[in-house]
Amino acid sequence: MNISIKSLPLLLLLSVVVLACNTKPASVEKNNIRVIKGLYSYGPEIKSFTDCEEGNEYWVADSAKTLELAYSNFNFEKPYEPVYIEVECHMIKSDSLIIAADFDSTMVVTKLLKITKEIPDGPCN
């Protein structure tokens, strides 16, 4: 391949554009993902999570589509029975036009690590 000196600035510019297009936005970068543990309740109108450590309550968005399914598999007789979960997630601002507006933030679940009916002793009780 024969590249002239005159085409180097164009190649440099093209490289910068390609790198910029392949960079993930800060909101989904790996460093914003965290593991969080607490109590999850699910029903027809509310999907909420209470962080056992801090006591904060979040609206839940299940981007992995596994949390709601795993909860449903418990076959509770009534909705909103709390379960203990451990998930990978990131936080976003809650939408002010839906029920989620009552919560400070929305927890977006990216991976379900653990779900159990057994609530461990400690700050969750």
Side-chain angles (χ1 to χ4, degrees):
M1 184 168 158
N2 198 1
I3 300 174
S4 71
I5 300 268
K6 292 179 185 178
S7 62
L8 283 177
L10 181 59
L11 286 173
L12 181 62
L13 179 62
L14 183 60
S15 298
V16 170
V17 169
V18 169
L19 286 173
C21 290
N22 287 329
T23 303
K24 292 180 181 177
S27 63
V28 292
E29 283 188 14
K30 202 88 162 142
N31 61 3
N32 286 340
I33 300 288
R34 63 184 191 172
V35 174
I36 193 166
K37 304 171 184 181
L39 301 179
Y40 172 69
S41 295
Y42 174 76
E45 297 177 10
I46 303 289
K47 302 168 192 174
S48 69
F49 175 83
T50 303
D51 179 349
C52 290
E53 298 294 317
E54 299 173 9
N56 296 332
E57 194 170 9
Y58 303 100
W59 180 260
V60 178
D62 184 16
S63 71
K65 304 294 183 212
T66 56
L67 180 57
E68 291 174 15
L69 178 63
Y71 184 92
S72 297
N73 287 338
F74 285 123
N75 295 318
F76 290 117
E77 290 184 22
K78 56 185 180 175
Y80 308 114
E81 289 290 326
V83 295
Y84 175 81
I85 63 170
E86 296 178 6
V87 296
E88 286 183 3
C89 66
H90 63 274
M91 302 299 177
I92 61 172
K93 185 176 178 183
S94 293
D95 187 344
S96 62
L97 300 176
I98 59 174
I99 295 172
D102 293 339
F103 298 85
D104 291 333
S105 299
T106 295
M107 180 178 84
V108 180
V109 175
T110 55
K111 184 176 182 182
L112 177 62
L113 303 173
K114 179 179 183 177
I115 184 169
T116 179
K117 289 183 184 180
E118 306 299 319
I119 298 172
D121 289 335
C124 283
N125 286 324

